[in-house]
Amino acid sequence: MKALSPLDCYLELPAENELGGGETFFDLLKGAELYASGRSAARSAIPSIKNFGAKTIWLPDPICPSLPIFFKDFFEVKRYRADSVENLNPNPSDAVLFMDFFGASNQSEIESWILKNPKIFSILDATFAPFSDWAKSSAANCVFASLRKILPIPDGAYLKLKDEKPRKIALSPSSSMPDFAGDILSAMSLKTFAKKTEGIGDKAYRKLFMKGEEKLFNSKAVCRISPYSFEMLKKLNVSEILKKRANMISDFEKSENIKKLNCKTILPRESASAFAPALIIENETDFELARKAFTSAHNRPAAYWNKPDFNF
C-alpha cells in the first residue's frame, strides 16, 4: 500500500495575490519559535524532552524514514502502529510522537490520550496541517511543523513548547540563509520562470530541489529561519494560500480522474488548513495509473509510505 498526494510538493515563488492582506503567520501563530526546517525545530526540542527524563521515544508507523535515523542519535527508538493509540504502551517518562497524517488523524482520540497520560512527553508533528485548530491548541508538550511544504518559502518551521517561554533568539532570523535553502530558493525561482516560459521543462529545477533536500538530510546543525523567509512570513497572506488549498481539494474531490481510480481518498478535517488530500492505493498497478493521471508538465504527484498492513 502507498500514499500519493496529487499535488506537487515542490512549490514556486508566491503569486502576487499571496502577498499582502489577510492573516499572516504572525497573526496565526504569534510567539512560536522559528527554525529553518522541521528537523532543526525537533532538534531544538531535544533538551526539553531529555529534561523530562525521556530516554525512549515512540514513533508512529508509517513515518518518514529519515526521522527514526534522526532520533536514534538521542533516544532509544520504538515504533507503534499509528492507526490507533491502543497500540501504544510507553513507560512513564517516555516520549511519544504523534503525526497529523494529511490533516486527517483522529484529533479527539489522540488529545484524549495525551490528557490521560501526563507522565509521557507528547509531541505533535503538525507538518501536514500546520495552521489547523489542533496544531494551535494541542495539549501536547511540544508541537512543531515544517512550513515550506505548504508556504512558498525555501526554509521555515515553527516550534511550540508547552509551559516554556519562547527563547528570544529563536524569535528572530539568522544572519544568513542555510545552504539547503539557497538551492531550494533557486529551484523555486527556476520553476516559476519555467511555468511562464514555453519549452522549458522541469529537469533543472527538480535537480536543484533534490540537491537542497540532500543537504538538509545530511545537516546536523540547528539553523534558525533565514532572513528571506522571515520577511516573507510577515507578508505572505496565509489565509489566501489556505483558501487556494481548499479550492484545490474541492476540485480534486470532483475530478473525473479520481472516479476512474481504484483507491481510497483521505481528506483533511479542515480543508483550509491541510497540506494536501491523499490517495491510499493497494497495489503497484493502480499506483502507477494514479500517478500518471495527475502528472502534468510542472506537477508530479508526491509518493509517501509503502506499508501494506497499515490502515489510515
Side-chain angles (χ1 to χ4, degrees):
M1 185 199 76
K2 290 186 178 181
L4 183 79
S5 164
L7 304 180
D8 199 325
C9 61
Y10 292 145
L11 305 183
E12 57 196 285
L13 296 177
E16 188 174 343
N17 68 344
E18 293 175 346
L19 292 168
E23 293 179 299
T24 70
F25 171 85
F26 295 105
D27 294 321
L28 296 168
L29 283 159
K30 185 177 180 180
E33 296 184 1
L34 286 167
Y35 295 93
S37 66
R39 190 181 297 262
S40 280
R43 193 180 292 272
S44 295
I46 298 299
S48 296
I49 302 172
K50 286 189 171 291
N51 287 341
F52 190 85
K55 296 181 179 178
T56 299
I57 189 167
W58 294 72
L59 302 180
D61 199 359
I63 197 171
C64 174
S66 68
L67 283 179
I69 297 171
F70 168 78
F71 280 111
K72 278 181 181 177
D73 284 345
F74 309 100
F75 306 101
E76 178 187 359
V77 172
K78 293 188 178 180
R79 307 297 294 271
Y80 70 96
R81 286 172 55 94
D83 45 2
S84 175
V85 293
E86 294 178 2
N87 295 307
L88 266 170
N89 188 30
N91 293 316
S93 296
D94 283 357
V96 175
L97 184 142
F98 300 97
M99 288 192 72
D100 187 6
F101 290 102
F102 305 107
S105 293
N106 191 328
Q107 175 183 350
S108 59
E109 181 183 62
I110 292 173
E111 284 293 301
S112 177
W113 190 95
I114 290 172
L115 292 170
K116 290 176 182 176
N117 292 274
K119 294 183 179 181
I120 306 298
F121 191 96
S122 51
I123 306 162
L124 175 63
D125 182 345
T127 293
F128 284 110
F131 300 103
S132 69
D133 290 340
W134 185 12
K136 290 184 282 187
S137 63
S138 176
N141 298 96
C142 168
V143 180
F144 74 92
S146 172
L147 294 171
R148 61 192 183 87
K149 293 180 175 66
I150 194 168
L151 297 180
I153 50 178
D155 67 302
Y158 72 75
L159 171 68
K160 297 190 300 177
L161 293 168
K162 185 180 178 182
D163 300 327
E164 291 190 33
K165 188 176 180 179
R167 289 161 283 198
K168 188 174 181 180
I169 193 171
L171 298 177
S172 60
S174 173
S175 60
S176 61
M177 179 175 282
D179 284 349
F180 83 85
D183 288 336
I184 290 175
L185 181 57
S186 296
M188 292 172 69
S189 301
L190 188 54
K191 180 175 182 178
T192 304
F193 179 73
K195 288 186 71 174
K196 296 177 180 178
T197 308
E198 188 175 350
I200 296 181
D202 64 354
K203 185 176 180 180
Y205 70 72
R206 289 189 183 279
K207 284 180 69 175
L208 272 172
F209 274 119
M210 288 187 284
K211 183 181 176 183
E213 296 289 347
E214 183 178 0
K215 286 182 178 178
L216 174 59
F217 180 82
N218 291 323
S219 173
K220 292 187 179 294
V222 174
C223 299
R224 303 203 314 278
I225 193 169
S226 70
Y228 173 90
S229 294
F230 184 82
E231 292 301 319
M232 290 299 290
L233 289 184
K234 293 179 182 179
K235 297 296 183 183
L236 283 173
N237 184 338
V238 175
S239 51
E240 176 64 26
I241 293 170
L242 296 180
K243 180 181 176 182
K244 285 185 177 181
R245 287 275 172 174
N247 290 338
M248 286 181 189
I249 292 171
S250 177
D251 291 343
F252 169 78
E253 290 180 81
K254 301 170 187 174
S255 168
E256 288 298 318
N257 283 337
I258 197 64
K259 298 175 184 177
K260 301 173 186 177
L261 298 173
N262 182 23
C263 62
K264 178 182 177 182
T265 306
I266 302 297
L267 295 172
R269 296 178 309 278
E270 308 164 42
S271 63
S273 71
F275 169 59
L279 308 178
I280 306 303
I281 303 167
E282 295 296 331
N283 61 68
E284 195 67 31
T285 299
D286 290 332
F287 173 78
E288 288 302 323
L289 288 172
R291 187 165 63 175
K292 288 178 182 178
F294 291 100
T295 296
S296 62
H298 296 287
N299 186 82
R300 292 194 189 182
Y304 291 91
W305 309 279
N306 183 7
K307 291 289 178 183
D309 62 344
F310 183 80
N311 294 312
F312 279 93

